Amino acid sequence: MHRFANPARFLRAAQLVLPWSAGLTVALLAAGLYLGLLGSPADYQQGETVRIMYVHVPSAWMGLFVYSNMAIASAVALIWKHPLADVVAKASAPVGAGFTFVCLVTGALWGKPMWGTWWAWDARLTSMLILLFLYLGHMALVNAFDDPTRGAKAGAVLALAGFVNVPIIKYSVDWWNTLHQPASVTRVGMPAVDPAMLTPLLLMGLAFTTFFVTLLILRVRSELAATKIRAIRMVQVHGG
Amino acid sequence: MMDASSIFAGEGLACLRGERLVFARLDFQVEAGEALVLVGPNGSGKSSLLRLMAGLLAPMDGRLVWNGAPVADDREAHAARCHYVGHHDAIKPVLTVRENLAFWARLHSDDHRAEVAVAEALDAFGLIHLADLPGKLLSAGQKRRLNLGRLLAAPAPLWLLDEPITALDRASIKGLEAVMASHLAHGGMVILSTHADIDLPTARLLALDGFKPRPVALEAW
Amino acid sequence: MMDASSIFAGEGLACLRGERLVFARLDFQVEAGEALVLVGPNGSGKSSLLRLMAGLLAPMDGRLVWNGAPVADDREAHAARCHYVGHHDAIKPVLTVRENLAFWARLHSDDHRAEVAVAEALDAFGLIHLADLPGKLLSAGQKRRLNLGRLLAAPAPLWLLDEPITALDRASIKGLEAVMASHLAHGGMVILSTHADIDLPTARLLALDGFKPRPVALEAW
Amino acid sequence: MDGVLGMGGYAAYVWPAYGITAVVMLGLLITSLREMRKNESQLAALKQAHPRRRARAEEGQS
Amino acid sequence: MRRFVEIVRRDLRLALRQGSDSVMVVTFFVLTVVLFPFGIGPEVNILERVSAGILWVVALLASMLSLDRLFQADYEDGSLELLALTPTPLGVVVAAKVVAHWLTTGLPLIVAAPVLAVLLHMNADGFGVLLIAMALGTPTLSLIGSIGAALVLGARRGGVLLSLLVLPLYVPVLIFGVGAVDAAVQGFESQAQLLVMGAILLAALPLAPWASAAALRQALE
Amino acid sequence: MRRFVEIVRRDLRLALRQGSDSVMVVTFFVLTVVLFPFGIGPEVNILERVSAGILWVVALLASMLSLDRLFQADYEDGSLELLALTPTPLGVVVAAKVVAHWLTTGLPLIVAAPVLAVLLHMNADGFGVLLIAMALGTPTLSLIGSIGAALVLGARRGGVLLSLLVLPLYVPVLIFGVGAVDAAVQGFESQAQLLVMGAILLAALPLAPWASAAALRQALE
Ligand code: HEM
Ligand SMILES: Nc1ncnc2c1ncn2[C@@H]1O[C@H](COP(=O)(O)OP(=O)(O)OP(=O)(O)O)[C@@H](O)[C@H]1O
Ligand SMILES: Nc1ncnc2c1ncn2[C@@H]1O[C@H](COP(=O)(O)OP(=O)(O)OP(=O)(O)O)[C@@H](O)[C@H]1O
Ligand SMILES: [Mg+2]
Ligand SMILES: [Mg+2]
């Protein structure tokens, strides 16, 4: 059964990681929220609304990061047929969709005071919306088959095909002249942001990442249990 | 085309469908001129094995070899040497019987040879008087005969037939048996699954009911 | 419900499928407690005749009568007294075995009776231990048994079965024969088509191969 | 205190942003946890009902 | 009536269990509406001007796309012929399926419409009327669409064919739907348009199931 | 190459014989475009302003709708597995089918587009660029769409699901297609947009058939 890398090993490792990732999430969130809401100055242009940044930007990063993560997992699943990779891709999608949704809503809430409109059809905003649809399409496709393995494989091909969109979102602001700001934190070389704002931003980013790891572990465990339930059911039907 | 010394074999095959192991550690070997009949109750994996042999399904473990060379190394070469007749008829309702057959023949051999072979195939399966009828007017048995016609419409040494006699009446079954016997006599190979009795020379039986399908997840825990 | 004196008959039936006359001037008669077995080669019109009896197909000529009254006059009444089991399984992959069966039962009789009858049907066809499984997990034979379960899930005097034993293993065939025998003993009627042998008391044979399908245009000229 | 809650007049935008984020993250966490608990308890129940499976599985592993 | 409820319940249950149609219809609705700003450009005043038209046209398309499967699944797995053989008039069966279809697709469209109206910068005065117009219009779309869905059963290329049959019939709903919203946005009364929409709905209510039932009978022959 | 041509020819013949897909796609295109003046109102300057956008969005939808059946029919009747078993790489088979699809749907769209542009009062300066952009864009749509069509094989609710998968991937074609036409209408150069469209087409040409072939293999397992 070399193809069926042992899920038991994963579960043991997950058991070790889980308390750490959960604990870190809480600690980082507490620190990030404190610094973000109380311990950092208001922006001289944007005023207090700049505090939306501490949830908006990390969730945007996570939306992109989780999709990349899914694409990598899908490539692993397709090339090495590692069954855990399929499960990881499937478990990531709803979480990524959640982050993307948060990015969109917080962006809209930021846009109203800053640009005077909830929504504008500019390149970054719309490509983020498309990313949300890619997530939803992936979720729908994976669940659209009677045979779960079929859904997983189709989902893997889709995740790779949709990955083309990620660089477009990331660089849309640089390629097209738009309302939205260009990258200032993640740009090559020195970040162009005041450290007083950079620290809470990075803390929140880390908190979101550990939160994602925590959720991923829970969801993969759940998915593995569901697989086993199906297996036992199947034995009941066909008489193992 | 047909080499009297070919050998088609499977070594340690395991097959996964859905999430269940249908069979494992299965070996078989067929030589030129030999027939292999797969038997077993419903769901024992006959169809799965045939699809695996055709290359439609990748074995989870083990490998198929043709004259010592792994089949997986050259899919197209393997496709060129086998005919697969499955549960579906692959008949286009708007094409005539002849057009249906000619298309598959031309995909496998060149145009001129295809022409001749199609006529032969129509004759062998008693389809001549139906040749210009569109596929949609055929009855179940006639459809099956047309589908079997592909076997003769382009030559290939290895025939993989999944329950070929379903829907055939007695006379057609006799005809098919004759066609298969002649294929074997010319050094071909036939591997087929069946629930009923089929009369074939040099046929060996491969019973599949030894493997109880088992969910893989259970193995892994 | 089942009346020991019912008679179901066809008079001078003709059937047209896709511009071709499948059979014509066909008469039959079945009385309570009797079985009629349709036989004939592929394409001879067995399935067509059964669909015609069920009311799914309108006869080109002739008529069906139940106790002397033309069936065509009251479709709903005829639908209430017959069960048709065709080639399709009508099983929803996402409903459980019980839910699948209960739906059809409730459409035919009231909720309380349906409950009891469903349990009986599950028992008679060996489906009890599968009752809570979704339809998609069933094997071909189990699907067929579920489909046959409808016969018992709601009572109806006339059973129309198109090749009911396909995909069934030997034990299940025996079970079905017992169910049919008991239905006949209680004054029901069974009309079925088959290519294989079925063991039934009071069965008469109706051979359909006498009619060669013929283009209608010729007749009409 | 009013300074923080009032957000310099932008409370109507800043707090909902944090609120939505909290709702989505908590929602994800709760559904994931619930789902996992449900599946794992169902699995445990099934294993209870079919103790032989476990033995067979271990035997298959060797 | 009991049977009517029974069928609605089954269809709802099927829709809920199998990957929820509604989610997909709404997503199609949203996606296609979102495509337009890409095409038309982001200028607020133009978007605002065309918003009602785009919303309605896309709602028509979304409703039409989901109709594709209204009878298809039941037709393919044989459930439809069994439904036609229940002691219920076929028109009632159709009506039940249409109700279930509307509950799973029309209703979510109504819910999604205001959100999209915001995205397209529609004037907030139109929202109330948009909701009422959609509530009157979407059931009509489902009803009219059921005729098309029944007609294309068994036809290949169902999807595109369906659009040809159904779209022209949808035009009145479109015209009055847009008219009502535009009137409201510009500060006029939109009662007249809404009354006409109500009248169309009342007319379709008895006629559409009857016509669909006739078409279904043809498909089942 | 011979096999490539053979498959294209067969697909064209099938399209011509069975109720010609192209006619339907064009009719859908025309009908839906015509719906917009009903929805938006007849003002010339608004229609002109949005004409390029509407044409492109509806072209995307038309292409997507017809994609639904690209592999579906062959998958259902078993032809697809036989095509995968011909001595041709599966990517070539996909490419052939995409070419046939484009010839029967993309090409007619291009022909119909200028006529509809007149209907929508588009500035005549845009016509030339519209044609070139469509000629570059529609093959890309067919290519990208083939991936989606391959992915949804065997899925429940394929049609709506397909739109969810394919429409987001279509967006770049839409943006540059509209951009090119709008630039031309406003008297600017549209070379840059057309170059990008060409580049997208060139990138899709090898990648899409390869990805579709991968998806098809999954579907055939
Ligand atoms: C719905 C509307 C919006 C969406 C979908 C959106 C999307 C995004 C995305 C995808 C990023 C990640 C960029 C990267 O990692 O390179 C981002 C970052 C950012 N957004 Fe937004 N945004 C929206 C509205 C806004 C508004 C209104 C503002 C402020 C006026 C804003 C300010 C920022 C800032 C400052 C960053 C960080 C850029 C960096 O330093 O890398 N966004 N946004
Ligand atoms: N597409 C599929 N996805 C998942 N499982 C499948 C699939 N097809 C078959 N199976 C399962 O694989 C097992 C073997 O099926 P297979 O069709 O090979 O049996 P078979 O011996 O051909 O049976 P039959 O006599 O009914 O033709 C069965 O238990 C079946 O449930
Ligand atoms: N839907 C249809 N449209 C047109 N012709 C049909 C249709 N179905 C069957 N036929 C034709 O009607 C004739 C009788 O078909 P029928 O299915 O009744 O035969 P059968 O005796 O049931 O055969 P089998 O043994 O294959 O089940 C056949 O010649 C067939 O070609
Ligand atoms: Mg089989
Ligand atoms: Mg028959």
Side-chain angles (χ1 to χ4, degrees):
Chain A
M1 296 301 109
H2 60 284
R3 291 272 175 79
F4 266 71
N6 202 337
R9 198 179 308 148
F10 166 84
L11 288 180
R12 272 196 303 275
Q15 215 53 37
L16 287 180
V17 176
L18 190 59
W20 286 98
S21 65
L24 265 177
T25 307
V26 173
L28 287 167
L29 262 184
L33 282 175
Y34 171 76
L35 284 182
L37 290 174
L38 302 171
S40 67
D43 190 82
Y44 70 96
Q45 268 185 333
Q46 310 188 334
E48 299 285 347
T49 57
V50 77
R51 302 194 194 283
I52 296 181
M53 180 170 76
Y54 307 125
V55 284
H56 170 74
V57 176
S59 56
W61 288 341
M62 291 310 287
L64 293 168
F65 168 72
V66 174
Y67 199 91
S68 315
N69 189 51
M70 260 168 68
I72 294 169
S74 300
V76 172
L78 282 181
I79 299 168
W80 289 288
K81 308 238 162 29
H82 197 297
L84 215 50
D86 271 334
V87 177
V88 167
K90 183 181 178 191
S92 303
V95 184
F99 283 126
T100 309
F101 180 75
V102 168
C103 169
L104 285 168
V105 175
T106 53
L109 285 168
W110 200 355
K112 188 68 184 171
M114 284 299 109
W115 307 333
T117 174
W118 298 106
W119 181 257
W121 292 97
D122 97 337
R124 165 156 290 176
L125 273 58
T126 27
S127 51
M128 204 61 188
L129 188 59
I130 300 256
L131 183 67
L132 180 64
F133 291 131
L134 286 176
Y135 275 120
L136 294 179
H138 187 273
M139 286 156 64
L141 184 67
V142 166
N143 292 316
F145 295 90
D146 288 336
D147 171 1
T149 48
R150 251 304 263 129
K153 286 172 179 168
V157 176
L158 179 70
L160 285 178
F163 187 61
V164 183
N165 204 40
V166 170
I168 297 182
I169 301 174
K170 179 81 184 121
Y171 297 110
S172 54
V173 224
D174 304 331
W175 295 344
W176 290 286
N177 198 351
T178 59
L179 266 179
H180 196 282
Q181 25 243 89
S184 42
V185 178
T186 54
R187 132 171 120 194
V188 190
M190 281 304 290
V193 176
D194 182 345
M197 280 149 66
L198 190 57
T199 319
L201 186 58
L202 290 182
L203 281 176
M204 289 298 275
L206 278 177
F208 277 32
T209 315
T210 51
F211 178 66
F212 168 64
V213 171
T214 312
L215 277 187
L216 194 62
I217 289 175
L218 296 181
R219 299 183 70 89
V220 169
R221 262 175 67 177
S222 163
E223 203 53 51
L224 288 175
T227 313
K228 249 194 115 184
I229 292 171
R230 277 199 303 273
I232 292 177
R233 282 271 158 76
M234 216 106 72
V235 174
Q236 281 174 287
V237 196
H238 299 273
Chain B
M1 185 89 200
M2 296 195 199
D3 180 351
S5 63
S6 320
I7 295 183
F8 180 48
E11 300 167 357
L13 295 171
C15 171
L16 195 70
R17 304 284 330 242
E19 294 167 322
R20 302 192 308 141
L21 195 62
V22 180
F23 52 76
R25 287 178 227 104
L26 183 142
D27 302 299
F28 73 91
Q29 175 164 340
V30 193
E31 290 174 26
E34 260 187 3
L36 189 66
V37 176
L38 311 180
V39 293
N42 285 314
S44 56
K46 302 179 295 297
S47 305
S48 306
L49 180 55
L50 283 167
R51 291 177 75 82
L52 209 142
M53 289 172 173
L56 286 170
L57 212 64
M60 194 192 64
D61 199 7
R63 56 179 203 156
L64 292 165
V65 287
W66 180 270
N67 288 340
V71 158
D73 290 356
D74 191 350
R75 280 166 181 282
E76 278 82 38
H78 189 61
R81 68 183 158 240
C82 75
H83 271 309
Y84 169 79
V85 177
H87 287 307
H88 294 294
D89 281 321
I91 291 172
K92 292 292 162 190
V94 291
L95 298 185
T96 67
V97 168
R98 189 192 305 281
E99 286 169 340
N100 265 299
L101 207 50
F103 169 68
W104 295 112
R106 279 204 290 269
L107 279 192
H108 278 270
S109 54
D110 60 73
D111 284 16
H112 179 65
R113 273 234 304 248
E115 193 93 15
V116 181
V118 165
E120 260 174 43
L122 287 175
D123 189 37
F125 287 97
L127 294 164
I128 293 247
H129 67 286
L130 301 173
D132 295 320
L133 226 59
K136 65 182 163 203
L137 289 187
L138 300 182
S139 86
Q142 291 159 342
K143 278 189 183 154
R144 188 115 269 247
R145 265 140 63 189
L146 171 50
N147 195 15
L148 289 167
R150 286 190 295 111
L151 296 174
L152 296 182
L158 176 62
W159 291 2
L160 303 169
L161 315 178
D162 201 357
E163 306 198 20
I165 63 169
T166 35
L168 292 186
D169 53 31
R170 268 146 228 265
S172 316
I173 295 180
K174 283 270 160 295
L176 175 62
E177 283 169 354
V179 166
M180 288 194 293
S182 136
H183 179 63
L184 292 173
H186 287 81
M189 303 173 189
V190 175
I191 304 181
L192 58 80
S193 74
T194 184
H195 283 295
D197 295 327
I198 293 190
D199 195 23
L200 262 186
T202 69
R204 283 183 302 122
L205 231 61
L206 178 62
L208 277 167
D209 46 3
F211 308 93
K212 284 274 178 210
R214 195 169 344 151
V216 180
L218 284 186
E219 304 268 312
W221 245 255
Chain C
M1 183 90 201
M2 297 197 199
D3 180 352
S5 63
S6 319
I7 295 184
F8 181 48
E11 299 166 358
L13 294 171
C15 171
L16 194 69
R17 308 255 14 213
E19 304 185 331
R20 298 194 310 149
L21 195 61
V22 179
F23 52 76
R25 285 175 231 105
L26 184 143
D27 301 300
F28 73 90
Q29 176 164 337
V30 192
E31 290 175 26
E34 258 188 3
L36 188 67
V37 177
L38 310 181
V39 293
N42 286 313
S44 55
K46 302 180 293 298
S47 304
S48 306
L49 179 54
L50 282 168
R51 291 178 75 82
L52 209 144
M53 291 173 173
L56 287 170
L57 213 62
M60 194 191 65
D61 197 9
R63 57 178 203 154
L64 292 165
V65 287
W66 180 270
N67 287 342
V71 159
D73 290 357
D74 190 349
R75 280 166 181 282
E76 277 82 39
H78 189 60
R81 69 184 157 240
C82 76
H83 271 309
Y84 169 78
V85 178
H87 287 307
H88 294 295
D89 280 322
I91 291 171
K92 293 291 164 193
V94 291
L95 298 186
T96 66
V97 167
R98 190 191 305 279
E99 284 168 343
N100 264 299
L101 205 50
F103 170 68
W104 296 113
R106 278 202 292 264
L107 280 191
H108 279 270
S109 54
D110 61 73
D111 283 16
H112 179 65
R113 273 235 303 248
E115 193 93 15
V116 180
V118 164
E120 261 173 44
L122 287 174
D123 190 36
F125 286 98
L127 293 166
I128 294 247
H129 67 290
L130 303 175
D132 294 321
L133 281 168
K136 65 185 166 195
L137 290 186
L138 299 183
S139 85
Q142 290 161 341
K143 278 188 184 157
R144 189 113 270 246
R145 264 141 64 191
L146 171 50
N147 195 15
L148 289 167
R150 285 191 293 113
L151 296 174
L152 296 182
L158 176 61
W159 292 1
L160 303 168
L161 315 178
D162 200 357
E163 307 198 20
I165 63 168
T166 36
L168 292 186
D169 54 31
R170 267 144 227 266
S172 316
I173 295 180
K174 283 269 159 300
L176 175 62
E177 283 169 355
V179 167
M180 289 195 293
S182 136
H183 180 63
L184 292 173
H186 288 82
M189 303 173 189
V190 175
I191 305 182
L192 59 83
S193 75
T194 184
H195 283 294
D197 296 327
I198 294 189
D199 194 24
L200 263 186
T202 70
R204 283 182 303 120
L205 231 60
L206 179 61
L208 276 166
D209 46 4
F211 309 93
K212 280 265 172 228
R214 199 168 348 151
V216 190
L218 283 186
E219 302 271 305
W221 244 251
Chain D
M1 212 50 214
D2 189 45
V4 175
L5 285 181
M7 278 292 160
Y10 290 118
Y13 302 106
V14 177
W15 291 119
Y18 279 82
I20 291 274
T21 312
V23 165
V24 170
M25 285 172 69
L26 277 179
L28 278 170
L29 183 66
I30 290 170
T31 49
S32 304
L33 263 177
R34 261 236 210 98
E35 184 86 346
M36 188 194 72
R37 294 245 170 82
K38 195 191 83 191
N39 282 341
E40 290 193 337
S41 69
Q42 202 176 346
L43 181 61
L46 274 174
K47 274 185 179 161
Q48 200 90 52
H50 302 270
R52 274 181 50 241
R53 306 276 173 238
R54 180 100 210 136
R56 181 201 300 275
E58 253 126 33
E59 164 203 314
Q61 212 169 13
S62 56
Chain E
M1 196 55 209
R2 192 177 54 75
R3 297 203 177 100
F4 180 88
V5 175
E6 198 62 49
I7 296 173
V8 173
R9 260 179 40 194
R10 178 191 84 139
D11 273 23
L12 287 182
R13 189 182 283 173
L14 285 175
L16 286 182
R17 294 231 187 126
Q18 55 196 194
S20 61
D21 219 8
S22 353
V23 175
M24 283 195 221
V25 170
V26 170
T27 326
F28 172 83
F29 189 44
V30 176
L31 257 177
T32 313
V33 168
V34 166
L35 284 182
F36 278 96
F38 285 110
I40 293 174
E43 283 108 297
V44 174
N45 56 335
I46 293 203
L47 280 178
E48 182 190 348
R49 177 66 194 72
V50 298
S51 55
I54 289 179
L55 279 181
W56 269 104
V57 171
V58 179
L60 299 197
L61 292 179
S63 161
M64 188 201 77
L65 272 183
S66 63
L67 275 169
D68 197 18
R69 308 285 305 170
L70 180 57
F71 301 115
Q72 196 70 38
D74 278 342
Y75 176 71
E76 278 164 10
D77 73 5
S79 299
L80 196 60
E81 46 191 49
L82 295 182
L83 284 172
L85 289 178
T86 48
T88 324
L90 195 49
V92 174
V93 174
V94 171
K97 291 189 75 72
V98 170
V99 168
H101 175 261
W102 181 77
L103 287 176
T104 52
T105 64
L107 209 51
L109 283 190
I110 299 179
V111 175
V115 179
L116 292 174
V118 172
L119 277 186
L120 293 178
H121 306 285
M122 187 194 272
N123 189 325
D125 295 342
F127 286 14
V129 173
L130 177 66
L131 282 183
I132 300 175
M134 283 237 153
L136 288 171
T138 48
T140 316
L141 297 182
S142 294
L143 282 166
I144 296 178
S146 75
I147 307 178
L151 281 174
V152 299
L153 273 194
R156 288 168 305 273
R157 318 264 152 186
V160 192
L161 180 58
L162 180 69
S163 65
L164 292 196
L165 296 174
V166 164
L167 281 185
L169 296 176
Y170 277 1
V171 170
V173 177
L174 173 64
I175 293 178
F176 291 104
V178 174
V181 178
D182 273 352
V185 167
Q186 287 156 29
F188 299 117
E189 275 297 319
S190 47
Q191 212 171 354
Q193 287 93 335
L194 292 179
L195 278 179
V196 175
M197 294 187 78
I200 300 180
L201 175 57
L202 283 183
L205 221 42
L207 287 180
W210 174 81
S212 306
L216 285 184
R217 281 206 196 286
Q218 301 292 339
L220 288 176
E221 283 249 312
Chain F
M1 195 58 208
R2 192 175 54 74
R3 298 203 177 99
F4 180 88
V5 175
E6 197 62 50
I7 297 172
V8 173
R9 260 176 46 194
R10 176 190 87 139
D11 272 23
L12 288 182
R13 186 183 284 172
L14 285 175
L16 288 181
R17 294 233 185 122
Q18 55 194 196
S20 61
D21 219 8
S22 2
V23 175
M24 284 193 219
V25 171
V26 171
T27 325
F28 173 83
F29 188 45
V30 175
L31 267 176
T32 313
V33 169
V34 168
L35 285 184
F36 278 94
F38 286 111
I40 293 175
E43 284 111 293
V44 173
N45 57 334
I46 290 202
L47 279 178
E48 182 192 344
R49 178 64 195 73
V50 298
S51 55
I54 289 180
L55 279 180
W56 269 104
V57 172
V58 179
L60 298 198
L61 292 179
S63 162
M64 186 203 79
L65 276 182
S66 62
L67 274 169
D68 198 16
R69 307 289 302 170
L70 179 56
F71 301 114
Q72 195 71 38
D74 279 342
Y75 175 73
E76 279 165 7
D77 72 6
S79 300
L80 197 59
E81 47 191 45
L82 295 182
L83 284 173
L85 289 178
T86 48
T88 323
L90 193 50
V92 174
V93 174
V94 171
K97 291 188 76 71
V98 170
V99 168
H101 176 261
W102 180 76
L103 287 175
T104 51
T105 63
L107 209 51
L109 283 190
I110 298 179
V111 175
V115 180
L116 292 175
V118 173
L119 252 175
L120 294 179
H121 306 284
M122 186 194 275
N123 189 322
D125 295 343
F127 285 15
V129 172
L130 177 65
L131 281 183
I132 300 176
M134 282 237 156
L136 288 170
T138 48
T140 315
L141 297 182
S142 295
L143 282 165
I144 296 177
S146 75
I147 306 177
L151 282 175
V152 301
L153 282 185
R156 295 181 300 260
R157 321 265 149 183
V160 195
L161 181 57
L162 181 67
S163 65
L164 184 44
L165 302 183
V166 165
L167 286 183
L169 300 178
Y170 275 0
V171 169
V173 176
L174 174 63
I175 291 179
F176 291 104
V178 174
V181 179
D182 274 352
V185 168
Q186 288 158 28
F188 299 115
E189 275 298 318
S190 48
Q191 213 173 350
Q193 286 92 337
L194 292 179
L195 277 179
V196 175
M197 293 187 80
I200 299 180
L201 175 56
L202 282 182
L205 220 43
L207 287 180
W210 175 80
S212 308
L216 286 183
R217 279 204 198 287
Q218 312 287 354
L220 289 175
E221 284 245 315

